[in-house]
Amino acid sequence: MPPPFATPPETPLPRMLRVKDGLKDGLGRDISYLRVSVTEQCNLSCVYCKPRTGVSERIEPPAMSRNEVVQLVKVFTSLGIRKVRLTGGEPLLRRDLETIIAGISPEVEGRVHLTTNGIHLARKARALRDAGLAGVNVSLDAADSGSFERLTGKNGLGKVLAGLEAARAVGLKTKLNTVVLRGWNEDQIVPLARLAQQDGFQVRFIEFMPYQGNGWDGSQFMPAAEILRTIQEGLGTDLEEEPALGLEEGPARLFRLPGSIGKVGVISTLSADFCDRCNRVRLTSHGALKACLFGGHPVDLLEPLRNHASHEDLVGLIRQALTEKLECHPMRGGQQPTLSQGMWQVGG
Ligand code: SAM
């Protein structure tokens, strides 16, 4: 009997187990995008992400070894997952991140992306690209140092801007994500839109998502329509919307900026949700599958993997979890948020 929790040897998947027609959830939605949290640890303390009440503040070290991350991702790609995003916590805190990327990249034909706060990006960009990373989303919620520090607890704007340049210089597809919070950074919307216009970036403004534990009510919420109005008024121009993107490019509505290759976008998770075309599932750094960010029970895949579950058994667990993927997050019906883990735990 192999000891429980020993890391099983890596075995290539038999070709016949690869599913050609993709993975579907219980409602027939195509599931093609996996987000993997590789650690809960983070070097920033963003006001909208860190816990306030009711959620454990304990930050656990990542449970999954790099081999286990790669092995579980391979089970998903055998089922039809075509794009993987590594997130956290802060994924650049993992020293073996490049090895993880190198292990996953061939499985998704190079479609491995990363979400990072960018603090360590300048010195890591080339190695990440060389490992097979295709693109990076950098979270940036402020364009001036004071606001950045107020929002993140750290004086790090210069490092993030250097990281953005380094990522672009080595050829990584680079986008910016900004969570908008009324009373905190709505004054940063226009400066960040100008950054997009001047430097040719794509900046996507994300509606703040409340969850149990960040202890915030709706008063910080600013809907996408108001964000867009703020940009139009601030830049003194109408915004021209781009044609809708394919599912794997994400749920943002994008708008051209006059005289620039830069774009702004909005992600309206609450005001105009996109649950009916949700194509994503999440794997926590503890190897639990979450079919929906805001609900459903996490399904543990790590312990079965360590106990030498067969490929078919793991596939069975994944398919079972997908039958329970919610039709939509509960806030659509005006209910309270039900995300009882922090975003850094689920992998935002
Ligand atoms: N540390 C990395 C970073 O900062 O990008 C990755 C983890 S972070 C949890 C991933 C994403 O979740 C970020 O784009 C962040 O802006 C978003 N996020 C976290 N809490 C959020 C909230 N309450 N509402 C909306 N987006 C949130």
Side-chain angles (χ1 to χ4, degrees):
M1 271 288 276
F5 302 116
T7 304
E10 269 200 67
T11 41
L13 290 172
R15 283 280 145 194
M16 64 193 180
L17 288 179
R18 290 184 172 268
V19 173
K20 285 276 173 287
D21 55 354
L23 185 60
K24 290 197 186 289
D25 72 5
L27 296 168
R29 290 172 292 201
D30 287 316
I31 304 298
S32 57
Y33 181 17
L34 174 67
R35 296 171 75 101
V36 183
S37 170
V38 291
T39 181
E40 290 184 358
Q41 288 160 332
C42 192
N43 45 352
L44 295 183
S45 240
C46 299
V47 285
Y48 51 80
C49 190
K50 70 180 182 189
R52 301 292 167 100
T53 53
V55 181
S56 165
E57 285 198 36
R58 203 178 140 81
I59 308 283
E60 304 283 351
M64 285 194 289
S65 71
R66 63 175 182 240
N67 280 345
E68 288 166 341
V69 174
V70 173
Q71 280 178 284
L72 285 179
V73 169
K74 282 182 179 177
V75 180
F76 282 93
T77 56
S78 78
L79 286 166
I81 290 291
R82 296 191 294 274
K83 177 176 173 182
V84 174
R85 176 171 300 282
L86 301 177
T87 177
E90 174 47 41
L92 291 185
L93 294 183
R94 252 191 102 136
R95 293 188 178 184
D96 53 4
L97 190 67
E98 290 89 333
T99 318
I100 293 174
I101 292 168
I104 295 172
S105 177
E107 300 298 313
V108 284
E109 294 171 7
R111 281 185 287 250
V112 182
H113 294 251
L114 182 73
T115 297
T116 172
N117 59 35
I119 294 285
H120 293 313
L121 189 55
R123 64 185 172 81
K124 296 232 176 187
R126 184 171 298 277
L128 293 168
R129 194 269 326 263
D130 291 349
L133 189 73
V136 63
N137 287 358
V138 178
S139 300
L140 180 62
D141 306 313
D144 75 66
S145 299
S147 302
F148 183 95
E149 190 166 350
R150 203 162 67 92
L151 283 152
T152 65
K154 220 179 203 164
N155 176 3
L157 179 62
K159 284 189 176 157
V160 180
L161 294 177
L164 279 169
E165 277 314 322
R168 212 155 54 164
V170 300
L172 290 169
K173 213 172 157 190
T174 306
K175 296 178 194 165
L176 279 79
N177 286 336
T178 301
V179 179
V180 180
L181 292 128
R182 199 188 296 285
W184 284 85
N185 68 343
E186 72 264 51
D187 61 335
Q188 299 296 305
I189 295 172
V190 175
L192 285 165
R194 285 214 181 90
L195 180 78
Q197 193 172 28
Q198 280 158 17
D199 294 353
F201 284 115
Q202 187 185 121
V203 179
R204 290 126 30 109
F205 295 92
I206 303 173
E207 286 179 351
F208 166 62
M209 291 179 275
Y211 56 90
Q212 279 173 17
N214 66 2
W216 286 6
D217 55 33
S219 64
Q220 294 87 11
F221 178 72
M222 189 160 173
E226 192 178 339
I227 296 170
L228 285 173
R229 239 185 354 261
T230 305
I231 298 171
Q232 296 197 143
E233 285 168 15
L235 298 185
T237 178
D238 285 339
L239 296 173
E240 189 190 334
E241 185 160 2
E242 299 240 294
L245 295 167
L247 268 184
E248 271 152 44
E249 290 303 311
R253 285 173 63 201
L254 288 179
F255 299 82
R256 295 195 188 97
L257 290 165
S260 170
I261 56 162
K263 290 178 189 139
V264 289
V266 282
I267 300 183
S268 54
T269 320
L270 296 191
S271 69
D273 67 68
F274 28 84
C275 300
D276 55 338
R277 54 195 174 94
C278 181
N279 65 339
R280 57 188 64 187
V281 289
R282 291 175 158 85
L283 189 61
T284 71
S285 64
H286 293 270
L289 170 60
K290 282 217 56 156
C292 180
L293 173 61
F294 287 102
H297 300 292
V299 172
D300 182 22
L301 299 180
L302 185 57
E303 189 160 335
L305 179 77
R306 288 178 174 175
N307 283 321
H308 303 270
S310 68
H311 178 81
E312 289 81 356
D313 287 343
L314 291 168
V315 165
L317 288 169
I318 293 169
R319 289 200 188 282
Q320 178 57 36
L322 286 183
T323 61
E324 287 164 22
K325 188 167 162 67
L326 299 177
E327 186 179 352
C328 191
H329 59 67
M331 283 90 87
R332 180 192 270 180
Q335 292 175 40
Q336 288 297 309
T338 52
L339 179 59
S340 55
Q341 289 172 297
M343 205 69 88
W344 77 97
Q345 291 168 310
V346 186

